[in-house]
Amino acid sequence: MDGELAALAGSGATALVGLMVSDAWVQAKGRLARFFARGGDEDSADEELQTSREELTAARQADDGDAEAGVATDLLIRLLRILQEDPSAAQELRLLLRELNPGADGPPAVTMNAGVTGGVLNAQTVLAGQFHGGITFNVQEPPPSGPDTKPDQVPPLTVTYINHDADLALLDGYLGEGGAGTSRVGYAGLTGMPGVGKRALARQWAAKNRERFPDGLIHVDFGTLRDQRDLMGGDVSAALRQCLAALGVLDPYIPPSFEDRVRLFRSRSAGRRILIVLEDVNQPAQVTSLVPNGPGSALLVTGNGKLDELAMDGARLIPLTPLDRAAGLDLLADRCDPGAVEAEPEAAGRLVELCAGLPKALHLVAARLVTSRRRLTMSRLADELADESRRLAGMSLRGREDHSMSAVLGLAYRELPDDAARLYRLLGWFPGRAFDGAAAGAAAGLDTTTAESLLNELVEASLLDVTADDRFQFHDLVRLHARERAVEEEPESAQRALVERVITHYLVLTALADRAVRKDRLRIAGLAEDLAGLERDAPDPFAAEGGPAPLDWLDAERATILAVLREAARLGHHHLVWPLSEGFTVLFLHRRYLNDWKESLELGAASAAATVVPAAEARLRSLLSRPLMDLGEDDRARTELETAVACADVSGHTALRASVQEFFGRYWDRFDPSRAVAAYRQSIERNIEAGEPRGAAIATYFLGCAQDAAGDHDRALNSLRRARQDLLDLPDGPDQRMAARALVALGAVHERLGDTDEAMRVLSEAAGTLRAEGASHYEAQALVRLADLTERTGGSRDALRAWLTRAFEIYDVGGSPDAETLRQRLDQLDDTGAP
């Protein structure tokens, strides 16, 4: 602005001060309000002038010269802004001043000293005399501004940039079209959990592409603005102030209102090719007003979440994920020393795993390694961090709370609404890694709809991930932070109550899934009796149309249910642990995950003993013999069975005593077939006595297997045929799984009798039925028998390979020792070549 216009503004400010304390104010203020509004809101301009007059009057009454100077300075700045934005307003102001002061020969001699300190106009330096008479100012031209101003504000990286090369390439595509002739503004956002490397990626891309933006790079960190809010519009208004200053607008000329700042920013950025980097954004509204107006420019945003709305305005969002193992090792090697990683490769890999690939955590770990006053090796640090209770504390620099993973995650946590923050904390205590909305609701004592809404808030804040099967899961370090907050902020009793709610939730669903698979299976826990008072009146999802398949649901929840059993047992919820363990067994009867089954039954048996329920203890210990025997722990299986017999006798439960004898017969199958036959006969008698036709049919099936093993093949055929028919004719409907198992046994008998064609037929039928029933373990047994028979008879090598491959896959997933045997057979088959 030239000196003439500055002098005019000073004259106007002087005249206004005089008018405000004169009788002519009433007639003058309407004309003045229209001038100050300049096509805008005249009522607002009138109110602002009236406020200035009241402040000036109060200052004079109090003889407060500083306050008078403040009013004069504010008026001067407003006039300077009007003249800067529209120089044509100068003539209108001259006419207005003459009309309002007709006796004057001309404008008073006014000069202005625009005392600017640190970019902020200082009213004390503007004032050069009292307002009781003439005011003298010195006029100094403002520093150059406009298109020649070229900011370069994006902070540099001080370390080597590691990985995220694919994301850099995406940014090249989304933002890299800048240049002459480009018609659009590039617009992209980097999202992801705290500490995943969003800032580093943005700064790396800016450094690589500086030349594409000849008019400069502007940087705004909303994290630093949130605690220093601009009084005229919050952090967005403060960000606009920063951008305008970067574009050469002096502070006195930056409009006070938010709307005017937006308009001026758009005018100033028009015709320029600039890059604006906005960091630590947490609301879409912080961004929309800062899109530059120059074609070929670009806006790059980083934030922990809640940026999805930007996509509606054309932003391309890139969610960042943690580093993989190789990149994590590269980062450690760069921050520490390549030789340190090479010297302890296993420990370095453990550190990457314990940091879960999070760059910020790896930086902190590396900083501890290189700054430790005593020699801290990677192995020692990995051992320290292996303890979950010490891990977050170990990812910090001693004496620097702000340099820690807890501090990084705490920034996002503190921005959560109270109800979302509470759910976040409580889920830190959730047993298991993944959960759905219903389980989260159970943990927090919320209905599913409310819980899912809050879970979505946590996802938007990048504190929770959505898994491929549409459930929710914490990053490992976020889970530990949530638990840390729960310990600090929740009462001591809250964790135990949470686990009780969660195990109740899974107990009800597991009991319903168990009954959906087979209603007439022997159970000690009854849904109506033992689960009284629980959520048993809730809708049965497995009975609903389109509901989940019960075995598939149990399989998907397997790791979580096992974790729930562990935590509930640790906290002493034994009355709920053993029923869940019993119901959970239905999954393992169909799909053998031997180690998981074993652990589940061990926890259940111990809880049944702790609550002194001998029938439950007998049931669970007899079931425990099955995975123990499959894992080759025969001696321990016998010990469990002997305890089960004693507990069953104490319980007086006839059907249970029959079942325990059946399990003992299966143990004797391996060591004494005659004792096995006797045990099965006793089981059949007790099942008949108890009115359990399914139990009797199953015992008959095992009796036929024992007879076949003893060489009594004809009796075996009769027993197995009777068992199969009884299993198909049960009052509650056919038991296809057990009937198919009887068919497998019949195939083995036909094979021993030399009828290979019949053996192949029934084995093939059985394998198909078992696959349809989801009984993969028994399907594998049928396939191995088919493969054995095919190999002995010189049948199709392709069929042999297919059967062995499918059986190997089943055993391998289930953890069966037989998997290695099948692997060797397949290797030998491949070595011999195709026929």
Side-chain angles (χ1 to χ4, degrees), residues 295-307:
S297 294
L299 179 64
L300 178 55
V301 182
T302 77
N304 292 335
K306 297 187 178 181
L307 301 183

Side-chain angles (χ1 to χ4, degrees), residues 309-562:
E309 291 180 28
L310 300 183
M312 298 174 61
D313 297 328
R316 305 295 294 270
L317 302 182
I318 303 175
L320 301 191
T321 56
L323 303 176
D324 59 23
R325 178 184 173 86
L329 290 173
D330 287 345
L331 189 152
L332 278 181
D334 179 75
R335 305 301 186 266
C336 300
D337 183 88
V341 172
E342 293 171 3
E344 296 183 276
E346 182 179 349
R350 287 174 60 204
L351 287 176
V352 172
E353 181 180 345
L354 290 166
C355 292
L358 209 59
K360 181 64 176 182
L362 287 164
H363 288 153
L364 290 165
V365 164
R368 281 198 61 191
L369 288 168
V370 300
T371 61
S372 175
R373 293 183 180 180
R374 58 188 180 87
R375 189 172 182 274
L376 180 63
T377 65
M378 289 189 177
S379 296
R380 288 173 59 187
L381 183 53
D383 290 342
E384 174 189 332
L385 300 181
D387 182 352
E388 283 193 347
S389 65
R390 302 170 59 196
R391 190 172 303 164
L392 281 183
M395 293 177 181
S396 64
L397 298 185
R398 306 302 184 195
R400 294 292 304 274
E401 292 185 3
D402 56 330
H403 282 59
S404 70
M405 275 310 303
S406 289
V408 171
L409 296 170
L411 293 173
Y413 170 68
R414 287 194 294 273
E415 293 177 1
L416 294 173
D418 289 345
D419 49 0
R422 175 181 176 270
L423 180 61
Y424 173 81
R425 294 192 299 272
L426 292 178
L427 289 176
W429 275 330
F430 186 88
R433 304 286 180 172
F435 42 83
D436 59 14
L446 302 170
D447 63 85
T448 301
T449 300
T450 300
E452 287 182 341
S453 176
L454 296 177
L455 289 170
N456 288 333
E457 289 196 43
L458 296 179
V459 171
E460 288 178 358
S462 296
L463 290 172
L464 200 61
D465 297 324
V466 180
T467 63
D469 56 355
D470 206 29
R471 293 191 295 170
F472 301 92
Q473 180 173 290
F474 279 128
H475 181 279
D476 281 352
L477 298 185
V478 178
R479 176 176 55 83
L480 294 180
H481 179 262
R483 184 182 303 171
E484 179 184 86
R485 291 298 87 222
V487 171
E488 289 291 326
E489 301 179 40
E490 295 293 328
E492 290 184 8
S493 60
Q495 183 180 13
R496 193 173 192 280
L498 178 146
V499 173
E500 183 172 17
R501 292 192 297 268
V502 170
I503 190 173
T504 298
H505 169 77
Y506 279 103
L507 173 54
V508 172
L509 288 176
T510 300
L512 293 171
D514 179 21
R515 284 155 178 77
V517 175
R518 188 77 210 175
K519 289 184 178 180
D520 57 357
R521 190 167 65 82
L522 174 65
R523 297 175 183 86
I524 304 305
L527 189 62
E529 296 82 15
D530 295 85
L531 306 187
L534 306 184
E535 304 169 33
R536 56 189 178 86
D537 294 329
D540 182 352
F542 309 106
E545 184 177 354
L551 288 177
D552 290 343
W553 179 83
L554 286 167
D555 211 341
E557 297 284 355
R558 174 167 52 97
T560 299
I561 293 175
L562 194 58

